[in-house]
Structures are given as structure tokens and as C-alpha cells.
Amino acid sequence: MAEDKLEQYLSVLNPQQRQAVVHEGSPLLILAGAGSGKTRVITTKIAYLIGNKNVNPYSILSVTFTKKAANEMRERAVAMEAQAAKAQIRTFHSFGSWFLRKYYEDAGVEQNFTVYDDEDMSILIRKAVPSLSQKESRLAAHQIALAKDYCLTPQDDLSFLASDFDIQDIYAKYEARLRSTGNVDFGDLIMMPVTVMENSPLIASDIHSRFNVIMVDEYQDSNIAQYKLLQKLSGVKEGYNNYVCVVGDDDQSIYKFRGAEVQNILGFSKQFPGTQIIRLERNYRSTSKILDAAGIVVGKNQDRLGKTLVADRGEGKMPVLAYVPDQNAEVTFCSELITKAVAAGGKYSDWAILYRTNAQSLGFEKDFLHRHIPYVVVGSLKFYEREEIKDTLAYLALCANPRDEISFRRIVNKPSRGLGDKTQDKILEKAVINNADGTTSYTSLLQACRDCAPELSKKAGEGAQAFLKIYDELVASFNKSKKLSDFIELVIKKSGLDEYHQASDEIEGTQRVANLQELINSAVPYECSVDGLTAFLDAINLDRTLELQNEEADGEAVTLITLHNTKGLEYNRVVITGLEQGVFPREDKLGADLEEERRLFYVGITRARDELYVTSTAQRILYGSLRMMSPSIFIQESEEAFKVIGRKPSAFGYGGFGGYGGYGGHTAYGGYGSSTRSGYTGKWAAGTKLYHDDYGYGVVTKAYYNEGELVIEVQFESGGNKKFLPEYQSKALQIIKD
């Protein structure tokens, strides 16, 4: 990079941003406030190191949490310095995958391993411990994943999980089964590189020599395992002098439920001696009045490093706190705000409605439909979690790794070929090889299926041969195909998945065949080779939960979104709803948990560019009954920063429904009348999340009485729609509380 070009990029930075970019030597913590331009800083720093300090780009490792963020970081760095393309700019899990493929023998995995997700873990746990129910196996999978987030093995103390069963024994049996497949789960992608470097000083030295500069974005979202990985990569305990720079905001640490540990950033200076802290406090997103409210809110937290955001965009409008009678009035308040703004020349896409839990979206959806307000709900089932997509990916994974038990079990009997669980168990037993030296190894499941076929019943034997024929034809076609997309299309047709899911479309009105076509489209950039297939599967397997799938929200529509999902986003006009005790914050939040809830409110506030509204109701229907509510502690702490409209409820609610700050009386809210009169509102009401022993997780879409009996209609994650009579099926149906 020419020196004048570099100076051009540095010249647009404010003094604190420039200080962070040119810093060198000691460890650096960039404490980047909301909207302070942290991405510009970290990408400019990468370009600066390469172009001005002559750092070898090959020696730079920069990690973040989502593929979207990593791609943006790479593109912006390369735009400033072409050599930045040679740097390792990845997600944490993508780096873990790279590491394990490089040192797979030391890690004890297949080089072409696939990554098991939560559902795969649950299935493997049930195979390892058959006595567990489906619900128990899913809970065990969650607990094992959490243990790995803390870098804990089955031999460690796992009492913090407070498990109802012997999680250490289940974890140990699951690990043995997982290692036999040669595959890994998401926790392994972080934990195993730490273990490999701990057990092999030579590999650790290799990594320390390779990466002289290590940068971490969104460090406040890191878990214990990721913190340990950073320590091992930096070599801080081994006496290496590698440059470490982390960027984050302790005030935006809101993912404890995913394993994030705010103490990682709060204690960074202690773990990395000599750390310099640079605060980025100039905010380029919000106006001063909005930032004042945000500062008052988060300032009530005790456990924080502290900073004060300064607006670059002027004073702006004062935020509004609206006290309303009930949740119907809350919905109407929001709808009328949006309608009036659009009538005055605004856009629907200016607006975002934020809430603490997904269930709160139901009222807005109903009213928006009634008023013809276009909207999108962010946070629905992800594309790659759909049944038809996972079926196809299982075929691809088995082509990449013939020892993949989860993929084999998923597709060997789909469509049905008479190869049930017991037959599959026989095939798996055939794959076990007892060596003369007393050790155990495992052969290809496809070869085991061939060997086992003559011993099976006629129907099962024919089914096994049919499956093997499909697999052999696919392998032969794989070697002849040029594009991976062509091969995937062949997989869908030869396997019968197209016909299988076409029937599902006709019966249930789903769009599974269209989803399969979209999967084919997504593979167009990949060549049909082992490397191409591995890259394609990695791109899918590593692109998970923290990345927001928000393509549909790019249109002209209001966004309905949970507060957790808003992180990293911004909207011109924001309404944060449900600011009542028991709703936000939740009733069980105390101490450190309450501080995280307060940070969540702070994150919501700082999403707003121009206008901010906050609502609090006097009464709300919760868990099937009408409850009197009291204002959230958060707005009690920060009311001075808001323009208050409506009547603040007393300890016993409003005590009447007269006029409310110019927004009309209760009967003026769209003709809804009392909350208790609009349809069935019991515990099985529409929007209720539940779990069924046979069908898995779902949500109630309709609840009504038929000849005196309550009927509910449920949409399941698998795509199925079912009707139930809760009175007679209460044992199979379990309500899931957010």
C-alpha cells in the first residue's frame, strides 16, 4: 500500500480510532462503544500492519463470530490493502475446522470430518445411551455442549450443570461414540485445538511461529473455551511475544445463555499483563438524547469498565416512554405510530418493534395483518435446519466420510426401505473391527452394510441392496461431475428425496421441493471434488445460530425482532415493548443476571438512529390469565431521560381507562375491547411453544372449541401440521416457556 493511500485511510479516523490502529507492542483492548466504527478500526489496522509496518499477512489471524462479519472484515481490509487477502480472517469455528484438518492425526479425527449439530448430537447420545428419551437426549446434548464451552471433559467436575441424570457417564459414552465416527461437534472445533496444543508443544510452537498477530472481534461474546484458545494461540503463558488485540464492548455482553462470559473482557488486562485500553466513545449512529438514555441505563451496572458515548449527529428528539393500559393498547400505539409516520412520507422499513421473547410478536402480527402493515418476523427456522435440507446434506456428508454414523442412520431408511433401528444396529456392529492387539477400529459403514446384507431378512436385504446401489451410482457420478450443484441435483433425484418431499408438499402444503432447489443453487460456486464438497459442507455447518438470517427484512416492511437478535443492527425508529417487571426483566433475574438484562436494554436503545419509544403496560395476559403489571426497574431507573406520555400505573394498575396522553381511551384501540375477549387465551393459545414426544418442537397456530372440546393446531419444526385435543394428550404435550 502506498504511503499516501494509507494516510488517506487514516485521515478519516478520529483520534481514538487512529490511536488504536497505530498501536503496537503491548496487548491492546479496544473498548468500542455501540456505533463507534469498530469494524473500520480493525480492518484499517490489518491494512496498516501489512502496508506500513511490513507485517507478513500470512502471520495475521483475525477471528470473529459470524461468517457475515468475517466476510465484511475481509472485504474491507482487502479494499485497503490487497495483500490482506493472504491473512487468516475467519470465524472462531472456521479457524477450529482449519486447525483440526491440518492436525487431524494428532486430534484423532478424520481429515474429511463433518460437524455434528445439536440434533446430530441428540441422536448419537440416544444410540450411546438407549435408555434416554428423546427429550432427555436433547437436554443432555445441550449440557454436553455447555460443558465443552467451558473446555470441560467427562472427567471434570460438571456439577454446575445441575443435571437430573448422570451427565458425566452420558458425556463419556457420547464422546467414545463420537470419536468412533471420526467426526466432531461444534464444541470440539474450539476445545480440541486447545487440547492438541496443550498435549503437543511442537504444534503449539508451530502455531505461535505462524501467527504473530492475533486479533479478536466482539470479544465480549467469547466463552471460556474461546478465551483458552486465545491464550494458547498467543502463547502468553509460554513466554511468546505475539501481538494480541481484542475489540469488544462489555456493555453489549448479552449472550450468557449461549455460554458467553463477560469476565473475559472485564479481566483481559489481568490475563494479558501490560494491556493498554483505548476507548472508542464517539457514536456515529444515534442522536445525543438517545445516547443519554442509554448511558443512564447501563450506568446502573456495577460490573463494567466504563465509558461515555458522545453523539456525532446532534441532539435529536427526546425518547418517549408510553404507559398504556394493556398489550392490545401497546400494539395499537405502535401501529398508529407507524401508520402516521408512513402517511407523512416515512417508510415501513424505518421501524423495528423489539421485544424480550418471541411470544410477544403474536399481537403485533395480528394487528399488522388487520391494518395491512407489511412486516417480517426475524428468528424463524433456519434454512439448513429444515428436514429436507438435512436429508440431502446427510447424503453429501456420507460421500465425504463413509464412517459418518449420524448421516448413515438419517438416510439409509429414508424413504423407507425396511431398514429400521434394529437393522441399523446390526450394520453398525458389523463395522466394528476387533484387532489382534486388543484395540478396536471401525470400517466404512457402506462396506459393513454390504457384508451384513446377506444376513438380513428378505425385505431388509433388498432395502440394503437398493441403498447401496444408489450410493455406488452417486459415488461414480461424483467422479464424473464438474459442478457440485449438478451432483446435488442428482443426489436428490436418485435418492428419491424429491418424490418423498413432493408428497409432503401435497399433503401438508409445505415448500420442501422449492427449498431443495435453493440448496442446489447455493452449490453453484463449488467444484465437484473432495475439496469442493468439504468446503461446501464447512460453509453450511459453520454458518450457525449467531448469524442473523435477515434477507427478507431488507424489503419495505416493519421488522419484528427479539432484543437478542438486534445486536449489530440499526433502525431509524425503534420501539422497545414490554418494559414491565416479570417481562423485561424476567422474574428470575438477579445480581449478574439482572445486569445482563440491563445490558440487553442498553443494546436495544442503541439500535435507534433517530427516534426511540419504550412501552409499559398496566396489565398483560401471561400464562393464561390477566395480570396486573408494574413498570420495569429499568425505566424506573431512567425515566428522567424520557418524555412520558400516558398514566403511570399505581401499585394496583391504572384503576380506570380514561384518556391516555392524547392516544385515546381503551375502547379507541382498534375496537378490540378487553384483552380477555379476543379469542381463546388459555395456556394452549396461539403462539404457545410446546414439545411433543413423537413430533418434537412446535408452536400452536390456532386454538378453538369444537363441540365443547378444545382443539389446537400445531406447526412443528419438521414442517408437519397436526391437530390435538390437549385434554386427552397432556402427557405427550409439554409447554415450553421462553
Side-chain angles (χ1 to χ4, degrees):
M1 188 188 335
E3 189 172 337
D4 57 342
K5 185 178 180 182
L6 174 64
E7 185 55 41
Q8 175 186 343
Y9 290 123
L10 291 176
S11 65
V12 299
L13 304 178
N14 65 43
Q16 290 72 35
Q17 290 175 328
R18 184 174 182 127
Q19 182 187 8
V21 167
V22 303
H23 175 274
E24 57 185 314
S26 64
L28 175 64
L29 167 58
I30 302 175
L31 203 60
S36 62
K38 71 176 180 61
T39 303
R40 170 180 287 181
V41 170
I42 197 168
T43 52
T44 304
K45 190 172 184 69
I46 293 171
Y48 174 81
L49 288 170
I50 298 169
N52 189 265
K53 307 303 293 184
N54 298 317
V55 172
N56 185 345
Y58 187 73
S59 70
I60 296 176
L61 170 63
S62 182
V63 292
T64 186
F65 285 84
T66 68
K67 191 170 78 171
K68 179 181 177 182
N71 288 341
E72 180 184 1
M73 194 181 300
R74 184 182 302 105
E75 290 170 4
R76 292 175 65 168
V78 170
M80 287 184 276
E81 170 55 68
Q83 291 296 308
K86 298 179 182 178
Q88 289 267 24
I89 302 176
R90 296 176 172 270
T91 65
F92 265 107
H93 290 99
S94 175
F95 172 78
S97 179
W98 171 87
F99 182 100
L100 293 180
R101 294 194 193 283
K102 183 177 177 66
Y103 301 108
Y104 68 96
E105 291 179 332
D106 297 270
V109 299
E110 287 288 314
Q111 188 172 26
N112 292 327
F113 63 76
T114 54
V115 185
Y116 285 176
D117 63 12
D118 294 345
E119 183 180 345
D120 296 331
M121 289 179 67
S122 177
I123 293 171
L124 198 61
I125 286 170
R126 289 195 75 184
K127 299 307 175 185
V129 189
S131 61
L132 293 178
S133 67
Q134 185 177 16
K135 180 181 178 182
E136 288 172 334
S137 67
R138 290 191 179 191
L139 178 58
H142 172 74
Q143 292 177 345
I144 291 171
L146 187 59
K148 291 191 176 186
D149 284 344
Y150 282 88
C151 234
L152 298 174
T153 70
Q155 290 72 45
D156 291 318
D157 180 8
L158 303 179
S159 59
F160 77 99
L161 294 172
S163 181
D164 292 333
F165 33 70
D166 190 350
I167 192 63
Q168 287 183 291
D169 180 64
I170 296 171
Y171 187 1
K173 290 176 179 176
Y174 163 75
E175 278 293 283
R177 199 67 172 255
L178 180 59
R179 297 286 76 86
S180 74
T181 69
N183 289 326
V184 300
D185 57 31
F186 275 97
D188 288 333
L189 294 178
I190 308 299
M191 184 174 175
M192 290 183 78
V194 174
T195 303
V196 168
M197 285 188 281
E198 285 178 345
N199 295 336
S200 175
L202 189 61
I203 292 177
S205 177
D206 185 27
I207 290 294
H208 297 151
S209 300
R210 165 71 192 274
F211 297 114
N212 303 130
V213 175
I214 302 164
M215 306 175 74
V216 182
D217 190 22
E218 301 286 6
Y219 189 61
Q220 77 282 344
D221 294 337
S222 62
N223 59 35
I224 296 297
Q226 288 159 340
Y227 153 73
K228 290 189 174 183
L229 178 60
L230 175 61
Q231 278 203 324
K232 296 307 296 184
L233 291 173
S234 67
V236 63
K237 290 188 175 181
E238 289 81 10
Y240 283 84
N241 196 30
N242 292 353
Y243 182 69
V244 178
C245 169
V246 300
V247 185
D249 182 3
D250 55 327
D251 290 333
Q252 295 189 72
S253 180
I254 58 172
Y255 295 128
K256 184 178 181 180
F257 68 98
R258 294 177 183 169
E261 178 50 71
V262 68
Q263 293 301 324
N264 287 354
I265 191 168
L266 294 176
F268 182 82
S269 298
K270 294 180 180 178
Q271 300 300 330
F272 292 85
T275 292
Q276 181 176 350
I277 299 177
I278 296 176
R279 290 171 169 80
L280 304 184
E281 297 177 306
R282 180 159 294 277
N283 177 284
Y284 297 93
R285 177 188 299 151
S286 307
T287 58
S288 180
K289 293 292 187 182
I290 292 173
L291 294 183
D292 287 346
I296 291 173
V297 167
V298 80
K300 301 298 181 181
N301 276 357
Q302 301 298 314
D303 212 0
R304 61 189 295 259
L305 296 173
K307 61 186 174 305
T308 302
L309 296 181
V310 179
D312 192 64
R313 298 183 56 234
E315 187 171 279
K317 295 182 178 180
M318 195 165 189
V320 172
L321 166 58
Y323 290 112
V324 294
D326 60 19
Q327 61 212 71
N328 280 341
E330 179 180 59
V331 167
T332 302
F333 172 77
C334 295
S335 296
E336 292 183 353
L337 275 178
I338 295 167
T339 301
K340 290 176 182 177
V342 171
K347 298 187 296 183
Y348 289 113
S349 57
D350 286 339
W351 291 89
I353 309 296
L354 280 52
Y355 36 77
R356 180 63 179 81
T357 62
N358 276 308
Q360 290 170 257
S361 74
L362 183 61
F364 296 103
E365 293 186 62
K366 286 182 177 180
D367 197 49
F368 285 3
L369 285 171
H370 177 75
R371 295 171 182 266
H372 304 291
I373 296 175
Y375 69 91
V376 59
V377 180
V378 176
S380 60
L381 191 65
K382 302 291 192 296
F383 181 82
Y384 294 114
E385 294 173 358
R386 296 170 186 169
E387 180 187 1
E388 65 276 15
I389 301 303
K390 297 197 77 168
D391 291 344
T392 307
L393 294 177
Y395 271 101
L396 299 179
L398 197 61
C399 288
N401 178 10
R403 291 167 55 197
D404 188 340
E405 178 184 347
I406 294 297
S407 295
F408 177 83
R409 286 186 180 274
R410 184 177 187 94
I411 59 176
V412 70
N413 197 40
K414 196 171 193 178
S416 179
R417 302 184 181 90
L419 300 170
D421 287 350
K422 291 183 179 179
T423 303
Q424 293 174 32
D425 289 340
K426 288 182 181 179
I427 295 172
L428 266 293
E429 289 173 8
K430 204 78 171 180
V432 179
I433 301 174
N434 295 313
N435 301 314
D437 60 359
T439 61
T440 301
S441 57
Y442 299 82
T443 187
S444 160
L445 295 177
L446 282 304
Q447 185 58 49
C449 190
R450 294 183 208 281
D451 297 340
C452 201
E455 306 170 12
L456 302 176
S457 67
K458 181 180 179 182
K459 181 180 179 181
E462 290 174 351
Q465 293 295 346
F467 176 75
L468 290 169
K469 181 182 178 183
I470 292 171
Y471 184 82
D472 290 341
E473 290 177 354
L474 290 177
V475 171
S477 300
F478 181 83
N479 296 326
K480 297 177 183 177
S481 302
K482 292 184 178 180
K483 290 185 177 180
L484 188 59
S485 55
D486 293 338
F487 177 68
I488 294 176
E489 186 173 11
L490 192 66
V491 167
I492 293 168
K493 289 181 178 179
K494 279 191 176 293
S495 65
L497 289 176
D498 55 345
E499 295 180 1
Y500 179 85
H501 291 298
Q502 180 67 54
S504 173
D505 280 356
E506 293 173 359
I507 296 171
E508 301 175 346
T510 55
Q511 297 182 345
R512 297 185 177 187
V513 173
N515 291 336
L516 290 171
Q517 183 58 55
E518 189 59 30
L519 180 67
I520 294 170
N521 296 341
S522 70
V524 168
Y526 296 85
E527 64 177 6
C528 193
S529 64
V530 173
D531 288 343
L533 177 57
T534 299
F536 178 69
L537 292 174
D538 269 356
I540 292 171
N541 287 326
L542 300 176
D543 189 8
R544 285 288 194 263
T545 52
L546 290 178
E547 183 164 358
L548 192 61
Q549 302 296 324
N550 196 27
E551 291 82 4
E552 293 181 3
D554 291 336
E556 183 51 29
V558 177
T559 298
L560 301 180
I561 187 170
T562 65
L563 283 148
H564 280 103
N565 279 335
T566 62
K567 184 132 180 315
L569 304 178
E570 61 181 54
Y571 304 93
N572 290 335
R573 295 165 170 173
V574 167
V575 187
I576 306 177
T577 61
L579 265 294
E580 302 112 39
Q581 287 298 111
V583 176
F584 186 31
R586 306 281 287 277
E587 290 177 338
D588 58 346
K589 302 299 182 182
L590 300 170
D593 290 339
L594 183 62
E595 292 212 347
E596 176 157 319
E597 290 280 294
R598 193 177 280 111
R599 292 195 293 269
L600 187 58
F601 188 30
Y602 170 83
V603 167
I605 291 173
T606 54
R607 300 311 96 194
R609 298 188 73 254
D610 302 318
E611 295 179 21
L612 171 68
Y613 301 84
V614 174
T615 62
S616 180
T617 70
Q619 56 183 17
R620 183 179 295 273
I621 297 176
L622 292 175
Y623 310 117
S625 62
L626 190 64
R627 298 190 180 185
M628 307 308 295
M629 310 300 293
S630 60
S632 167
I633 185 176
F634 302 151
I635 58 175
Q636 294 181 49
E637 294 171 344
S638 60
E639 194 176 67
E640 64 191 88
F642 293 87
K643 174 186 176 182
V644 179
I645 61 174
R647 186 183 305 168
K648 185 175 181 178
S650 66
F652 301 100
Y654 282 96
F657 296 114
Y660 290 92
Y663 284 93
H666 183 61
T667 56
Y669 289 89
Y672 281 94
S674 173
S675 299
T676 59
R677 297 177 187 172
S678 76
Y680 177 78
T681 58
K683 71 175 184 176
W684 300 104
T688 301
K689 293 182 180 179
L690 54 77
Y691 178 83
H692 190 282
D693 288 345
D694 294 328
Y695 302 108
Y697 291 96
V699 62
V700 177
T701 57
K702 189 182 294 186
Y704 54 90
Y705 284 98
N706 183 23
E707 297 182 357
E709 292 187 320
L710 177 64
V711 180
I712 61 172
E713 296 183 12
V714 181
Q715 171 76 45
F716 288 99
E717 287 186 354
S718 62
N721 290 283
K722 303 291 179 183
K723 293 182 181 180
F724 302 98
L725 300 176
E727 183 179 354
Y728 305 106
Q729 296 174 288
S730 58
K731 291 184 178 180
L733 290 166
Q734 301 174 51
I735 291 177
I736 305 297
K737 296 180 180 179
D738 287 313

